[in-house]
Amino acid sequence: MGPVHKRRRVVPWAVLALWIAVLALAGPFAGKLGDVQRDNIVDYLPANADSTQVAQIQQELPGGESTDLVLVYHRGGGLTAADRAVADRQAGEIAAAHALTGPAKGIPSRDGTTLMIPVSTTGPGSDEEARAAFVEDVRKRVSGVEGLSVEVGGPGALQTDMGEVFESIDGTLMIATVLVVAVLLILTYRSPFLWLVPLVVVGVAALTTRAVIYGLVQGFDLTVTSQSAGIMTVLVFGAGTDYALLLVARYREELRRVPQPYDAMRAALRGCGPAVLASSGTVAAGLLCLLAADLNSARGLGPVGAVGVVCALAAMLTLLPAVLVLLGRRVFWPLIPAYDSEPKARRSLFAAMGSSAGRRPVAVLASGAALLGALALGAFNLPGNLAQEDSFTDRPESVSAMRTLADAYPDRSSQPISVVTPADTADEALARARTTPGVVSAERGRSADGWTELSVFGKDAPETAGETATIKALRGALDGSYVGGPSAQQLDLEETNSRDRMVVVPLVLVAVLLILIALLRSLVAPLILVVAVVAVWGAAMGLGGLVFEPLFGFPGMDPGLPLLSFVFLVALGVDYGIFVMHRMREEALSGAEPAAAALTALRTTGGVIASAGIVLAATFGVLMNLPLVPLVEMGFVVAVGVLLDTFLVRTYLVTSASLLLGRWVWWPGALARPVGAGAAAVGVRQREPERAGRA
């Protein structure tokens, strides 16, 4: 047995054994990731905002973070004496069962239809399970009689309802994603066996990712939320499957040229490996730019997503090739690619698209750009910022209670504005708060460690323009104090997301551009790709403006959507441009004329890019089935953007621009010069290693 033949047999088995060892080590830790996910409000807030400081200080006050509820008793025709007696009795039972921070006093509405009873305790502290148990116990202790409705609302109930939704995300998202990817792979490969290979490998990548992230949490106190863990799952399956589709397509192509599967895989990795590496590099780099964000949830998503992409890359460039080589050509049954055969000739949709772009490149480019521009105008119809109570696709009890309060108490807020002030100036701060425009009442709360908590009630409903003005007035009047609470948190989220966009967006563009320049050895081609993906992002956001409120009925937009969707669409969208442009560069290095290189690249990569785009769009589309509006909006924008990028930008606009620019698309690289100036020589040097490898 010669050394080459021995290597063909040993290397794949060694890689497989290595991954089995990785799985044995990673398995026990992967399941623990859910135990360290944190969904406290602080984990989603801006690191330096007033409201974040309030939440952190509240956790250090006696009893820790408070859980604030509101019992809402409502009868449309007006409350009766018996209704009020029921409310008093039930509030008394709650006070007897739990250590409340104050008496449970009822506040009747002016029209006499509603009675709200604020209930607050510090018993659970920041323990989410204890808070959920408290809320559940309160809900069990309250009940209405005929005609009297009773609901439990308030920030504590809202957090509990949201926590229940987050708990269901991991399992639901994983099952739905696996099913979607499996179906699409079966349709793509039309083989009873082949689809299982990339699906199992991407599953291994997902499990490894969870274990690595768990290790980072333990070692570096990395913040992982349910939202970032869910998006990580989508990224691993979406990006990993894309890389698998590209590699398998190139491997199938090489099997027709090379007799041995091992050598065919080596040629496939040499051919598409740089594109896959650059693709994963752009996604990872774009995500890591989120470390510059001030928003805690966005900053934590950066490394979590980047780890997922890197693990997917490692599995697809090592484990997948090893398994495919060991299984041999028979894994493609019934469409087995025989050595020295030609694929079945059939009319290529992408060849037809390329031909249409080649006949009228100016018209195609202009009309495509006009379409993207027209879609982007829909962004002017995007709804305002999403209120916390509107974050659910289905209205839970906590939201229904807050809606009842908003209708019954139009002249009073149903939730306090929390203020923490230095204890030695608490009296002065209390007096100033009471005289601040928009404030109805203010009360002194807990004190410890040099801080005193004040509860301030405004005259306007939560998260309205009037209450926002009151919060800003309090921040201006109370020097040295911090103003927080749910409404202040939403205000800080809006302002921080605006700041983060100004910082992160340029970083993402620069990082992606530098990677493209290094891969394509050009300035013009990378600029075309970056401009194209930015245009796609604008069009996708515009489509969101056309459907979020008119079609989906969402009253607001998550303030973090523009930034996160930009990062995903730019980083992921450039992937397909990399696949096309890298193949175009290969053809040009082989001596093909610019037009022929562009059309050949589209014909050979169009099918796999279409499959990859559909898979990626479908995986993000899974987010639209979750019961949280921010994730539905994210799934829609990214899925639509990926489809636009796949079927419009890559097939028509990039191809048309490349045809119009000719060799200038590779400026200032060697390929930009005429053939006689050395480009052909470059192509000969490029082909020599490939010939040697095949020999």
Side-chain angles (χ1 to χ4, degrees):
M1 182 185 296
V4 174
H5 185 69
K6 185 177 180 180
R7 184 168 65 248
R8 289 170 179 164
R9 296 192 60 181
V10 172
V11 172
W13 284 110
V15 172
L16 183 60
L18 176 63
W19 273 101
I20 291 174
V22 168
L23 276 178
L25 291 172
F29 300 105
K32 296 182 179 180
L33 182 61
D35 298 334
V36 297
Q37 289 174 198
R38 303 189 306 208
D39 289 308
N40 289 322
I41 191 64
V42 174
D43 300 315
Y44 287 89
L45 291 176
N48 301 312
D50 260 30
S51 58
T52 311
Q53 304 302 314
V54 170
Q56 291 172 339
I57 293 172
Q58 283 178 330
Q59 292 177 356
E60 304 301 323
L61 291 173
E65 183 181 344
S66 64
T67 300
D68 302 316
L69 306 179
V70 181
L71 312 182
V72 183
Y73 294 83
H74 176 78
R75 184 185 290 273
L79 295 172
T80 65
D83 294 337
R84 288 189 284 272
V86 168
D88 291 340
R89 176 175 55 80
Q90 293 178 355
E93 291 176 359
I94 293 170
H98 301 278
L100 303 182
T101 57
K105 295 181 179 179
I107 304 171
S109 63
R110 287 187 178 182
D111 61 7
T113 62
T114 309
L115 179 71
M116 74 170 176
I117 305 178
V119 174
S120 181
T121 181
T122 57
S126 56
D127 187 328
E128 294 178 38
E129 292 184 3
R131 179 190 297 121
F134 169 67
V135 174
E136 183 180 0
D137 183 73
V138 170
R139 284 174 169 166
K140 286 181 179 179
R141 292 179 184 275
V142 298
S143 60
V145 295
E146 185 177 354
L148 175 68
S149 67
V150 186
E151 296 172 317
V152 179
L158 192 65
Q159 288 182 40
T160 298
D161 289 339
M162 192 166 288
E164 292 177 357
V165 171
F166 280 136
E167 286 179 6
S168 68
I169 283 179
D170 266 1
T172 303
L173 192 60
M174 179 67 76
I175 293 171
T177 304
V178 169
L179 289 175
V180 166
V181 171
V183 169
L184 291 174
L185 286 175
I186 291 171
L187 294 175
T188 299
Y189 289 136
R190 291 172 292 167
S191 165
F193 308 113
L194 181 57
W195 66 274
L196 271 171
V197 179
L199 185 63
V200 170
V201 172
V202 79
V204 170
L207 186 144
T208 305
T209 300
R210 293 179 68 86
V212 172
I213 293 174
Y214 176 78
L216 293 175
V217 172
Q218 297 299 318
F220 301 96
D221 197 31
L222 178 68
T223 298
V224 182
T225 65
S226 295
Q227 178 178 322
S228 61
I231 292 176
M232 176 270 292
T233 299
V234 170
L235 274 174
V236 172
F237 274 86
T241 307
D242 277 6
Y243 303 151
L245 288 168
L246 186 70
L247 179 63
V248 171
R250 190 61 179 260
Y251 177 53
R252 188 199 295 266
E253 188 179 326
E254 296 297 338
L255 282 172
R256 299 184 185 279
R257 303 172 183 169
V258 181
Q260 295 296 327
Y262 179 86
D263 297 326
M265 182 58 73
R266 288 187 62 190
L269 287 171
R270 280 199 305 269
C272 68
V276 172
L277 284 170
S279 168
S280 62
T282 58
V283 179
L287 287 167
L288 289 176
C289 289
L290 288 171
L291 288 170
D294 188 44
L295 192 65
N296 285 335
S297 56
R299 192 168 63 248
L301 174 60
V304 169
V307 168
V309 170
V310 171
C311 287
L313 172 73
M316 293 307 159
L317 290 187
T318 57
L319 179 59
L320 179 62
V323 173
L324 288 174
V325 168
L326 289 173
L327 292 174
R329 297 175 186 270
R330 59 185 177 274
V331 75
F332 289 93
W333 185 87
L335 304 175
I336 299 176
Y339 170 60
D340 203 23
S341 66
E342 292 293 330
K344 183 179 179 181
R346 55 183 178 182
R347 181 172 174 79
S348 168
L349 171 65
F350 293 94
M353 289 179 171
S355 299
S356 64
R359 287 193 297 270
R360 297 179 178 177
V362 175
V364 169
L365 185 60
S367 58
L371 175 60
L372 291 178
L375 291 176
L377 294 176
F380 290 106
N381 195 48
L382 284 167
N385 287 316
L386 188 70
Q388 197 172 31
E389 65 183 47
D390 293 326
S391 298
F392 304 90
T393 54
D394 296 318
R395 182 184 296 184
E397 181 182 342
S398 57
V399 172
S400 179
M402 302 307 283
R403 297 280 172 84
T404 301
L405 289 174
D407 294 336
Y409 298 84
D411 56 347
R412 180 187 177 95
S413 176
S414 57
Q415 66 185 21
I417 300 169
S418 300
V419 177
V420 290
T421 187
D424 55 354
T425 61
D427 292 335
E428 180 184 352
L430 183 60
R432 287 188 179 181
R434 286 172 173 167
T435 58
T436 300
V439 171
V440 172
S441 65
E443 300 173 358
R444 193 182 182 114
R446 301 169 290 171
S447 292
D449 298 328
W451 295 100
T452 295
E453 182 182 24
L454 308 178
S455 292
V456 180
F457 283 88
K459 67 180 181 64
D460 296 288
E463 298 184 45
T464 59
E467 191 191 40
T468 298
T470 302
I471 292 170
K472 291 181 177 180
L474 284 168
R475 287 177 171 174
L478 304 178
D479 293 333
S481 302
Y482 297 110
V483 179
S487 297
Q489 291 163 6
Q490 293 300 104
L491 175 62
D492 290 337
L493 284 172
E494 177 187 350
E495 293 177 349
T496 302
N497 274 294
S498 298
R499 174 263 173 199
D500 286 350
R501 285 197 296 272
M502 299 296 293
V503 173
V504 175
V505 166
L507 287 176
V508 171
L509 291 175
V510 170
V512 169
L513 194 59
L514 290 176
I515 292 173
L516 290 175
I517 290 172
L519 174 72
L520 301 176
R521 319 284 175 82
S522 163
L523 289 177
V524 176
L527 284 173
I528 291 173
L529 296 181
V530 170
V531 169
V533 292
V534 172
V536 164
W537 170 74
M541 288 296 295
L543 280 169
L546 297 177
V547 302
F548 284 167
E549 192 167 14
L551 186 61
F552 295 165
F554 297 157
M557 181 188 72
D558 177 32
L561 177 64
L563 175 62
L564 294 181
S565 63
F566 180 87
V567 172
F568 289 134
L569 280 177
V570 169
L572 292 170
V574 164
D575 281 9
Y576 305 131
I578 288 174
F579 298 157
V580 172
M581 282 291 189
H582 185 261
R583 187 58 181 259
M584 194 185 304
R585 188 172 186 274
E586 277 191 85
E587 297 297 326
L589 286 169
S590 298
E593 289 298 316
L599 296 177
T600 300
L602 179 60
R603 185 181 66 252
T604 54
T605 65
V608 69
I609 287 177
S611 299
I614 291 171
V615 168
L616 188 60
T619 52
F620 269 93
V622 170
L623 293 175
M624 296 178 65
N625 294 316
L626 298 178
L628 288 177
V629 171
L631 292 180
V632 173
E633 292 177 340
M634 173 71 71
F636 176 83
V637 170
V638 177
V640 166
V642 168
L643 292 176
L644 282 174
D645 193 83
T646 303
F647 292 102
L648 173 63
V649 172
R650 298 299 148 229
T651 52
Y652 285 112
L653 303 192
V654 170
T655 302
S656 298
S658 301
L659 291 171
L660 288 172
L661 289 169
R663 295 190 183 279
W664 286 103
V665 78
W666 305 114
W667 185 88
L671 288 174
R673 297 192 289 272
V675 175
V682 174
V684 171
R685 290 195 301 271
Q686 180 74 13
R687 291 196 302 273
E688 289 302 327
E690 184 177 351
R691 289 172 179 161
R694 291 177 182 172

